[in-house]
Amino acid sequence: MTASITTVNPATGEPLETYPTMSDSKIDEVLDTAAAAQEKWAQLDFAARGQILRSAAAELRNRQDSLALLVTREMGKPLVESRAEVEKCAVGLEYYADNAAAFLADETYATSADDSWVSYEPVGIVLAIMPWNFPLWQVFRFAAPALMAGNAALLKHSPNTTGSAIESEKILLAAGLPEGLFTALLVAEPDVPATTERLIADPRIGAVTITGSERAGSAVGSIAGREIKKSVLELGGSDPFVVLADADLPKVAALAARGRFLNNGQSCISPKRFIVDASVAEEFTRLLLENVGRLQVGDPEADGTDVGPMARKDLMDGIDRQVQAAVQQGATLLHGGHPLDDTAGFFYAPTVLADVHKGMSVYEEETFGPVATVITVDGPDEAVAVANDTRFGLGASVWGTDLDAAVAVGKRIESGACFINSVVASDARMPFGGSKRSGYGRELASAGIREFVNVRTWWAMKEPGSQAPVSE
């Protein structure tokens, strides 16, 4: 029997579509086709590549309604957020179409050679292993720079967003991308580890990028290291949201609720630990609860819904285990803390926990769902200590009316990004990535496209001479 992948609507628990998976021989054919297509693609100039990416942006906008509905039905985010994700993908494609030539232009260097420069050249095929929480943005934010750099791209998406993976491929093909240059690989779940290892080991794969869990990132990074391949890891996060004593509490609490429960709480960079100065903790918590209490939980396809279901039942069960463990360990449950049993889907009540401290599950682990934790601290020094008391280092935000003081606190926090008086977000114009166990390498901006190239040094002499550099 041919293996298959079946997607499920998390709002109803009902199956959506079933897709046949690829055999090893089919994946080998995909590799052959991608390698041949990449050789030709690399010969095109940036203008030609950019024209196709701009066409893909137009395709995204033309299909925005149907794509947004697919995203919502596959992973559960409110429809308004899915529409925004489609537009963000279009903007990202246009950004790289506009800027790749400048990012990868040859750079001259002053040396003793007659001419010396650095060129940025494609690595071949980029393998991407992407998660379900932003099923289009995760795809296009790697594909845009990888393709503009002259590479081919293979996508191994999360099984529950298989439809989004296939539609991503269709959009690029409709925009004029050569056949085989971007392919969504449909791999049966039991075969993923072996297939991933085989792909990374293939000499035609020049780099691998993954967004996912620590466990998956560690496995992929280990294989890439063994095979001496470039890799980018964007992994988990337990982002601190530091509220200083002079913060504008009504505004900050509203943004805290929005940031935490966006995407149904399922974002690596959403604020997860609200680290609040003791002098304002009671008022901040009161305002946070007011805002959380106003959130509308329900059908993600309905107007006015703020929070939809979690993407899968096992994820809902996992977040509930974390919450119940924290309560047993002494945390105070202020709001929510349970699945919504009156629904057929995987809905979990927006949850707020206070009196959270070291040793609790929600303090030590990433909470990837609609759960906010409030940690009270005595001043900026303790806030920094708590913010850094995690194995993660993806994003951080600091909130206070004294901008210089807030920046000074932020500089002491270990993270890949620090936002002052703003919720952490990814933006194509800025590098994105983490530190510590949140991964390495960068996506987006000029740093992101340079992850997928060979930085090649050139030293040119008009005549054989003695000006050659000193050897190692």
Side-chain angles (χ1 to χ4, degrees):
M1 180 180 292
T2 302
S4 61
I5 295 170
T6 298
T7 56
V8 173
N9 186 335
T12 65
E14 295 297 320
L16 287 170
E17 296 287 345
T18 297
Y19 305 89
T21 56
M22 295 177 172
S23 64
D24 286 349
S25 60
K26 176 60 178 176
I27 291 174
D28 288 338
E29 289 178 19
V30 169
L31 274 167
D32 290 341
T33 304
Q38 189 273 327
E39 287 186 9
K40 296 178 181 178
W41 178 251
Q43 302 307 310
L44 297 181
D45 60 22
F46 288 108
R49 296 178 204 157
Q51 183 176 356
I52 291 174
L53 262 65
R54 289 188 188 91
S55 295
E59 284 288 332
L60 281 163
R61 292 187 175 108
N62 289 339
R63 306 183 189 193
Q64 185 179 45
D65 289 345
S66 62
L67 288 170
L69 188 59
L70 174 63
V71 167
T72 292
R73 288 182 175 172
E74 285 197 321
M75 61 75 55
K77 72 178 65 183
L79 198 55
V80 65
E81 294 180 20
S82 296
R83 291 193 186 99
E85 182 174 342
V86 176
E87 174 61 21
K88 187 170 185 175
C89 293
V91 170
L93 287 168
E94 291 170 337
Y95 173 81
Y96 277 107
D98 292 341
N99 292 287
F103 291 157
L104 300 183
D106 289 355
E107 295 179 353
T108 58
Y109 285 78
T111 69
S112 55
D114 292 319
D115 198 5
S116 50
W117 71 97
V118 163
S119 61
Y120 298 93
E121 302 175 0
V123 295
I125 303 172
V126 177
L127 171 65
I129 301 161
M130 291 292 123
W132 46 264
N133 56 334
F134 292 91
L136 295 178
W137 174 235
Q138 294 285 170
V139 172
F140 286 101
R141 82 180 190 189
F142 106 83
L147 293 171
M148 282 303 299
N151 300 298
L154 299 182
L155 168 66
K156 209 301 289 181
H157 216 328
S158 184
N160 58 313
T161 50
T162 296
S164 296
I166 291 171
E167 286 303 309
S168 298
E169 179 181 341
K170 288 180 178 178
I171 285 162
L172 289 166
L173 287 172
L177 196 74
E179 190 82 29
L181 199 65
F182 177 99
T183 302
L185 302 175
L186 305 189
V187 183
E189 196 66 11
D191 299 335
V192 168
T195 299
T196 299
E197 184 168 6
R198 184 168 73 89
L199 285 168
I200 297 173
D202 191 287
R204 292 165 293 186
I205 299 292
V208 58
T209 178
I210 177 173
T211 299
S213 67
E214 286 179 86
R215 180 182 58 80
S218 178
V220 168
S222 297
I223 298 167
R226 185 192 73 201
E227 298 299 328
I228 317 178
K229 300 286 179 71
K230 300 187 76 170
S231 58
V232 176
L233 310 183
E234 196 268 279
L235 309 178
S238 187
D239 287 11
F241 184 109
V242 177
V243 183
L244 301 176
D246 65 339
D248 184 337
L249 296 182
K251 291 180 180 178
V252 173
L255 289 167
R258 174 169 171 75
R260 183 64 194 101
F261 297 100
L262 187 75
N263 210 48
N264 308 337
Q266 300 166 125
S267 171
C268 297
I269 54 172
S270 66
K272 298 182 176 73
R273 296 178 296 145
F274 295 96
I275 301 169
V276 189
D277 191 275
S279 64
V280 296
E282 182 177 352
E283 180 65 4
F284 171 81
T285 303
R286 183 186 70 80
L287 292 168
L288 176 64
L289 287 169
E290 282 186 3
N291 282 278
V292 173
R294 287 194 287 267
L295 294 173
Q296 296 297 312
V297 182
D299 180 359
E301 295 181 35
D303 291 339
T305 296
D306 299 304
V307 181
M310 295 190 67
R312 300 194 310 261
K313 185 179 186 301
D314 63 305
L315 300 171
M316 180 185 72
D317 293 341
I319 203 74
D320 190 50
R321 283 194 296 270
Q322 286 181 301
V323 169
Q324 302 314 317
V327 171
Q328 291 174 7
Q329 293 168 308
T332 301
L333 179 63
L334 300 178
H335 194 278
H338 57 85
L340 299 181
D341 295 330
D342 58 341
T343 66
F346 315 138
F347 291 86
Y348 197 83
T351 297
V352 180
L353 295 168
D355 302 314
V356 171
H357 56 74
K358 188 176 180 66
M360 292 182 176
S361 57
V362 294
Y363 184 102
E364 307 291 344
E365 304 167 2
E366 180 178 25
T367 50
F368 208 72
V371 175
T373 60
V374 179
I375 304 170
T376 302
V377 294
D378 185 14
D381 289 344
E382 188 177 356
V384 170
V386 171
N388 288 334
D389 189 20
T390 175
R391 64 184 184 270
F392 299 107
L394 191 54
S397 61
V398 182
W399 304 77
T401 54
D402 184 334
L403 181 60
D404 290 340
V407 170
V409 169
K411 285 181 176 179
R412 297 165 60 195
I413 297 173
E414 301 160 351
S415 65
C418 187
F419 281 46
I420 307 299
N421 292 320
S422 183
V423 175
V424 178
S426 61
D427 186 307
R429 299 166 294 185
M430 294 285 285
F432 179 82
S435 62
K436 298 164 63 172
R437 297 288 291 182
S438 289
Y440 57 74
R442 290 295 179 266
E443 297 177 287
L444 304 177
S446 59
I449 196 169
R450 289 186 177 184
E451 295 283 4
F452 301 130
V453 296
N454 172 39
V455 182
R456 191 177 188 190
T457 296
W458 293 82
W459 183 282
M461 304 292 291
K462 294 177 182 177
E463 299 286 344
S466 59
Q467 294 107 320
V470 177
S471 60
E472 291 183 1

